[in-house]
Amino acid sequence: MTQEELIQKIDILRKEKHAIIMAHYYQTADIQAIADFIGDSLALAQKAKTTDAQIIVICGVHFMGETAKIICPDKKVLVPDLHAGCSLADSCKAEDLRVMKEQHPDHMVVSYVNTTAEVKALTNVCVTSSNAKKIVDMLPKDAKIIFGPDRNLGNYINSLTGRNMLLWNGACHVHERFSVERLVELKKKHPAAKVLAHPECKAAVIALADVVGSTAALLEYAKKSDSIEFLVATESGILFEMQRACPEKTFIPVPPEMSESFDKEGNLIPCACNECDYMRMNTMQKLYDCLNEEKNEIFVAPEIAEKAVVCIDKMLEMSK
Ligand code: SF4
């Protein structure tokens, strides 16, 4: 099928089946363009909570589908590719978190939403990069907290809140790759540009940023800012929406560190652009197939979902 045929057929199917297509900002441009709703993890969860669609297609990664299913157990939640995982979610296994909880029985657990349903079931309150500071600030001042799985976000929230949360040692392979040296070079070339960074980046990148925030916050800043040039340190999928919202402005992706590979002339080959391999597993063809055949449905065991929904609901309540 051509791209045009896929667009037409997906459009017909979503109407026939009363389905909503929700896409994360890190999806490819064609998927973002056809989605009914685009957002960051928090916005996707909030939208799932309020939609009256019978079928929710989550164009994102597996934990996002799980979150939607936990929030909407009676709805059919589909994902284009069931194998689209997340290196950050993978870095925190439920059995390991259970051991850490046993070692620190007086600690509560605050988990980033980038976690499996099993980890959420062991969590007191969930957060996203949009609301982590707000929620941590709202917890009792003397609360002892395990924060996981992203150590960079945890460090950043510790620095903002003055807390000393115990951090899980996980990270996102995409956000860890941004090169400090290459960012410094870019800043010299574009001295007027504002640096936008996601809090999953390393502390050295965050230290060079003018604005640190979730994808939604960075997008909002770019829209309102008087600046016309931006260096963007987050997954490059967000550039599609930034450019669509601000066609007169320039967005330059911050490059990743160089790989150890060399080309024939002996030059270092840069890593692929900072794209999330998992997010990019979704394609228009897979989106069409999952909606057409209603396949790749997400299931969460009821006993896990019952526990996991508590920390998600708490997050949604606290972030109002
Ligand atoms: S960008 Fe990082 S945190 Fe987001 S889905 Fe990909 S691996 Fe996970």
Side-chain angles (χ1 to χ4, degrees):
M1 258 188 280
T2 65
Q3 184 79 350
E4 286 67 34
E5 285 166 340
L6 279 171
I7 292 169
Q8 278 177 9
K9 292 198 172 202
I10 291 169
D11 197 35
I12 293 168
L13 279 173
R14 75 170 138 200
K15 287 174 189 147
E16 276 176 9
K17 294 178 182 253
H18 193 38
I20 183 170
I21 299 171
M22 294 170 38
H24 191 272
Y25 286 126
Y26 296 166
Q27 291 295 284
T28 51
D30 50 1
I31 291 179
Q32 290 193 53
I34 202 168
D36 298 291
F37 182 81
I38 312 170
D40 62 2
S41 303
L42 176 61
L44 295 181
Q46 286 167 328
K47 186 69 182 173
K49 180 112 183 148
T50 56
T51 182
D52 59 1
Q54 287 311 300
I55 297 179
I56 302 175
V57 184
I58 297 284
C59 300
V61 294
H62 193 271
F63 77 80
M64 294 174 181
E66 274 189 345
T67 306
K69 183 65 185 175
I70 292 164
I71 294 170
C72 313
D74 301 330
K75 296 193 171 169
K76 191 174 264 191
V77 176
L78 309 174
V79 291
D81 192 323
L82 277 171
H83 301 291
C86 167
S87 59
L88 186 51
D90 287 349
S91 73
C92 185
K93 304 270 180 260
E95 55 271 29
D96 298 332
L97 178 59
R98 203 171 286 117
V99 170
M100 192 169 183
K101 281 182 70 161
E102 282 164 11
Q103 288 166 347
H104 303 278
D106 53 349
H107 282 54
M108 64 182 297
V109 177
V110 176
S111 288
Y112 196 24
V113 73
N114 301 34
T115 45
T116 61
E118 287 78 10
V119 165
K120 289 188 177 77
L122 297 169
T123 294
N124 296 91
V125 60
C126 231
V127 297
T128 69
S129 48
S130 288
N131 58 26
K133 177 188 179 301
K134 180 178 179 181
I135 289 178
V136 170
D137 267 340
M138 288 166 82
L139 298 173
K141 290 288 163 246
D142 57 350
K144 293 182 177 170
I145 301 168
I146 295 170
F147 183 96
D150 192 282
R151 59 174 179 260
N152 293 324
L153 177 65
N155 257 322
Y156 180 64
I157 299 300
N158 270 344
S159 74
L160 293 182
T161 60
R163 301 262 184 176
N164 188 20
M165 299 186 295
L166 202 51
L167 305 182
W168 191 267
N169 192 20
C172 159
H173 73 294
V174 178
H175 287 90
E176 282 255 300
R177 280 199 309 229
F178 290 109
S179 163
V180 178
E181 291 74 22
R182 298 177 81 192
L183 175 55
V184 170
E185 282 167 25
L186 270 179
K187 273 171 73 85
K188 279 187 199 150
K189 266 194 212 159
H190 304 271
K194 296 284 182 200
V195 178
L196 312 180
H198 193 280
E200 285 173 26
C201 294
K202 290 175 292 197
V205 170
I206 288 179
L208 293 170
D210 295 289
V211 186
V212 181
S214 64
T215 42
L218 299 181
L219 176 62
E220 272 317 293
Y221 178 85
K223 284 185 199 168
K224 289 181 185 153
S225 170
D226 293 334
S227 301
I228 53 161
E229 220 178 12
F230 302 87
L231 307 177
V232 185
T234 188
E235 213 272 4
S236 58
I238 187 65
L239 268 67
F240 170 75
E241 189 55 24
M242 286 179 166
Q243 205 65 77
R244 182 159 75 169
C246 315
E248 73 292 355
K249 299 183 179 178
T250 303
F251 299 95
I252 302 164
V254 175
E257 280 158 8
M258 305 296 268
S259 72
E260 297 297 310
S261 317
F262 295 86
D263 64 17
K264 284 183 196 153
E265 281 76 44
N267 302 312
L268 264 176
I269 301 170
C271 299
C273 183
N274 272 319
E275 294 177 352
C276 174
D277 315 331
Y278 300 109
M279 288 278 184
R280 305 303 169 118
M281 287 172 84
N282 296 328
T283 62
M284 288 288 277
Q285 182 68 50
K286 290 179 186 175
L287 169 56
Y288 167 75
D289 290 342
C290 89
L291 192 50
N292 186 38
E293 297 167 43
E294 297 188 22
K295 67 173 189 180
N296 298 345
E297 186 169 355
I298 296 279
F299 296 100
V300 180
E303 64 279 12
I304 297 290
E306 242 170 59
K307 291 181 190 157
V309 77
V310 176
C311 71
I312 298 172
D313 278 346
K314 197 162 180 186
M315 169 184 79
L316 295 174
E317 188 55 38
M318 290 173 85
S319 51
K320 272 181 187 166

